[in-house]
Amino acid sequence: MIALALFFLGGVFLGQVLAGRVPDATGRELTEYLRSYVTLEAAVTPQAAVSALVLYFRYPLLAVLMGFASIGVALLPAVTAAFGFFLSFSVSCFTAAFGGEGVLLALAVFGLRCAVTLPCYFLLAVPAWRNAAALALASFGGGRRTAPVVYGQPWWSRVAVCAGILLAGVCLELFCSPWLLRLALDRILV
């Protein structure tokens, strides 16, 4: 858990560093994009639902899939660092564009998603990394006998519970996030 958390924090740090190199014109573009978003109808469309599903399930699903392959022992840290990087870069761009109020805006856009996806990701990634390491040891163990990797009831229960939590998060995202974003934008862009 600690090793994956360190990779995540490394990605967060790198995202903050690179967000400092974003040109100032990006702030104006982001403002215009958000203003046009607010003027659109806040109805739930199939495209919005698919987009929310992808946003919520991409990293946890990658973690689960990497638990079935020995290469996951190397790729899971990279995926974890990428998760931290893209989250940090996005939040840093909001704060760079809007100053201190960008934190409120970033919280409205990313807060709910992060509150749901981060715990689910780590709940799935830690045992997946352990499984991937066991598979790598069995593959590259030099002929030594190792215990087989078992994906038992606790593994599948964890996957099912996290999938349910992620689906609930998608529903909340679709119905609550536009409202939260509108509140934050009314406060910031007025």
Side-chain angles (χ1 to χ4, degrees):
M1 170 81 166
I2 293 172
L4 285 177
L6 290 174
F7 279 104
F8 183 80
L9 290 175
V12 166
F13 177 72
L14 186 61
Q16 289 177 347
V17 168
L18 291 179
R21 297 176 184 243
V22 173
D24 292 335
T26 306
R28 288 187 300 277
E29 292 171 4
L30 184 59
T31 302
E32 288 305 313
Y33 172 78
L34 291 173
R35 281 189 177 142
S36 65
Y37 174 81
V38 170
T39 61
L40 294 175
E41 184 69 31
V44 177
T45 64
Q47 295 86 1
V50 169
S51 177
L53 283 169
V54 168
L55 288 172
Y56 273 74
F57 278 88
R58 64 183 165 185
Y59 291 112
L61 182 60
L62 278 172
V64 168
L65 293 176
M66 303 253 180
F68 291 105
S70 59
I71 192 74
V73 79
L75 290 180
L76 256 170
V79 168
T80 303
F83 190 5
F85 171 80
F86 288 117
L87 175 62
S88 173
F89 184 81
S90 301
V91 170
S92 295
C93 286
F94 274 98
T95 57
F98 298 105
E101 292 179 333
V103 174
L104 176 66
L105 188 57
L107 186 60
V109 173
F110 302 111
L112 177 63
R113 185 180 328 145
C114 289
V116 173
T117 58
L118 276 172
C120 286
Y121 176 76
F122 281 104
L123 281 171
L124 296 170
V126 170
W129 200 27
R130 214 173 312 131
N131 291 345
L135 288 170
L137 183 63
S139 297
F140 305 111
R144 288 181 277 159
R145 297 183 81 173
T146 60
V149 178
V150 178
Y151 301 94
Q153 191 267 337
W155 166 259
W156 294 111
S157 294
R158 183 179 298 221
V159 170
V161 166
C162 286
I165 291 169
L166 291 168
L167 280 173
V170 167
C171 292
L172 281 172
E173 175 92 12
L174 291 172
F175 296 106
C176 294
S177 283
W179 175 74
L180 289 171
L181 181 60
R182 194 174 311 274
L183 284 175
L185 286 173
D186 287 346
R187 180 166 186 228
I188 293 170
L189 298 179
V190 173

